[in-house]
Amino acid sequence: MGETSVTPVERPEKGVPYPVTAETGPTFLRRLRSPRRPRLWFEILLIAVSYWTYSLIRNAVPEQRTEALHNADWIWRMEHHLGMAVEESVNHVVNSATWLIIGMNYYYATLHFIITLGVLVWLYRSHPGRYAATRLVLFATTGVALVGYYLYPLAPPRLMTGGHFVDTVMVHQTWGSMASGDLKHMSNQYAAMPSMHIGWSLWCGLTIFALAKLPWVRVLGLLYPAATLVVIVATANHFWLDAVGGILCLTFGFTVARTWYGTLPHALPRKVQDRRLPSSRHLPQRLDERV
């Protein structure tokens, strides 16, 4: 019989993990939860469809006028009980300065669209690795707000019966506002709780504060939701408790993003590997860039 040689099986060294992901690739769920470079066409389509859906659902909620006015009266009494019913005083003081209140009317009608879209564009260009997670915060915040509109119809202060609030848009004939005037029938007037002016502006402010490099830009980020709070109260479009509702919705949005990605959006890599690049085995070890 001839000699039989046995080749010993090589074993991996201890402490070196087997590169499962390098060979088999990530699972579908893992891929969904991994930061990726956003695609422009998809983001434009997603935002357009999402806002159209949001407006459709919000305005489809029944305008339960009687219940909405009852809820407004209850909130007004509650604020008086707390000694914090400041909306009427702020409304009248600011309304006495015509130039100021007209500016606030246009602020209320436009900036929550302009600045929110501006922050999304900035994230897309400068922080692609954090874009999807931060966008998820915004979408989850808005989604839970729709539940609030359905479950708790609320009249804004300017529509309260027997109230002494000034409807500043109606009085000063502000063009383009959905709050009142000629366009009021295109928007649900009894969807004041929660305030998405606060939810969206605070989302913008916190995102800018967390990610901007220049100190004065970070300060402006925090001033934006504070200014928005003054505007929604001065124009009699919201109670300050509506702002609390917006903050709670935003908290829910951050919780959803934290649960899905395992961390808050600002802690994710600023940039991500392009999926079209070669496998990670042939790339430098550190691919992400953090601020």
Side-chain angles (χ1 to χ4, degrees), residues 79 86-88 90-91 94 101 103-109 111-112 155-158 165-169 179 192-202 224-247:
E79 291 188 355
V86 299
E87 291 89 342
E88 187 175 323
V90 174
N91 175 238
V94 177
I101 194 62
M104 287 190 174
N105 284 341
Y106 284 113
Y107 180 117
Y108 183 86
L111 283 195
H112 64 296
R158 60 185 174 81
F165 289 92
V166 178
D167 187 340
T168 59
V169 174
M193 172 66 84
S195 169
M196 278 298 92
H197 278 75
I198 292 298
W200 290 2
S201 66
L202 189 57
Y224 173 50
T228 301
L229 176 60
V230 175
V231 167
I232 67 172
V233 170
T235 57
N237 280 295
H238 289 281
F239 298 99
W240 65 263
L241 279 175
D242 300 344
V244 175
I247 294 172

Side-chain angles (χ1 to χ4, degrees), residues 9 30 104 116 145 153 179 261:
V9 178
R30 193 173 187 179
M104 287 190 174
T116 302
Y261 287 97

Side-chain angles (χ1 to χ4, degrees), residues 163-210:
H164 301 286
F165 289 92
V166 178
D167 187 340
T168 59
V169 174
M170 181 68 74
V171 170
H172 299 284
Q173 296 297 306
T174 304
W175 177 84
S177 174
M178 304 291 285
S180 58
D182 295 336
L183 298 178
K184 66 181 180 180
H185 299 296
M186 297 177 62
S187 178
N188 187 349
Q189 300 298 296
Y190 302 107
M193 172 66 84
S195 169
M196 278 298 92
H197 278 75
I198 292 298
W200 290 2
S201 66
L202 189 57
W203 174 86
C204 292
L206 292 177
T207 300
I208 293 171
F209 180 79

Side-chain angles (χ1 to χ4, degrees), residues 1-274:
M1 295 178 63
E3 296 182 357
T4 303
S5 61
V6 178
T7 303
V9 178
E10 295 184 0
R11 296 182 180 179
E13 297 180 4
K14 294 182 179 180
V16 180
Y18 184 75
V20 176
T21 56
E23 299 296 335
T24 61
T27 64
F28 178 71
L29 181 60
R30 193 173 187 179
R31 290 179 60 188
L32 288 178
R33 300 176 67 178
S34 300
R36 68 183 71 186
R37 183 178 299 277
R39 298 177 179 177
L40 181 59
W41 67 268
F42 176 77
E43 295 303 326
I44 293 176
L45 180 63
L46 179 64
I47 292 172
V49 172
S50 298
Y51 185 74
W52 176 79
T53 304
Y54 163 75
S55 300
L56 184 67
I57 295 176
R58 181 180 186 270
N59 296 333
V61 173
E63 292 196 0
Q64 303 169 355
R65 183 176 184 274
T66 302
E67 185 177 355
L69 291 172
H70 173 76
N71 290 336
D73 290 336
W74 184 89
I75 284 185
W76 191 228
R77 290 196 304 270
M78 175 61 68
E79 291 188 355
H80 276 284
H81 179 71
L82 297 173
M84 301 180 69
V86 299
E87 291 89 342
E88 187 175 323
S89 299
V90 174
N91 175 238
H92 283 271
V93 168
V94 177
N95 187 65
S96 63
T98 303
W99 65 271
L100 180 58
I101 194 62
I102 290 179
M104 287 190 174
N105 284 341
Y106 284 113
Y107 180 117
Y108 183 86
T110 60
L111 283 195
H112 64 296
F113 294 112
I114 296 172
I115 294 184
T116 302
L117 287 175
V119 171
L120 283 170
V121 171
W122 171 60
L123 287 169
Y124 178 87
R125 292 176 57 87
S126 301
H127 299 267
R130 297 161 178 157
Y131 176 87
T134 314
R135 187 240 291 140
L136 177 60
V137 175
L138 182 64
F139 280 27
T141 299
T142 305
V144 76
L146 291 173
V147 179
Y149 298 147
Y150 185 85
L151 297 178
Y152 195 79
L154 179 67
R158 60 185 174 81
L159 294 182
M160 289 178 62
T161 54
H164 301 286
F165 289 92
V166 178
D167 187 340
T168 59
V169 174
M170 181 68 74
V171 170
H172 299 284
Q173 296 297 306
T174 304
W175 177 84
S177 174
M178 304 291 285
S180 58
D182 295 336
L183 298 178
K184 66 181 180 180
H185 299 296
M186 297 177 62
S187 178
N188 187 349
Q189 300 298 296
Y190 302 107
M193 172 66 84
S195 169
M196 278 298 92
H197 278 75
I198 292 298
W200 290 2
S201 66
L202 189 57
W203 174 86
C204 292
L206 292 177
T207 300
I208 293 171
F209 180 79
L211 301 179
K213 294 181 179 180
L214 298 176
W216 65 270
V217 175
R218 300 178 72 196
V219 171
L220 285 179
L222 295 182
L223 289 177
Y224 173 50
T228 301
L229 176 60
V230 175
V231 167
I232 67 172
V233 170
T235 57
N237 280 295
H238 289 281
F239 298 99
W240 65 263
L241 279 175
D242 300 344
V244 175
I247 294 172
L248 292 176
C249 289
L250 183 63
T251 302
F252 173 82
F254 273 109
T255 301
V256 170
R258 172 67 175 80
T259 302
W260 183 254
Y261 287 97
T263 187
L264 291 174
H266 71 273
L268 291 169
R270 178 170 177 261
K271 293 184 178 180
V272 292
Q273 176 188 356
D274 195 324

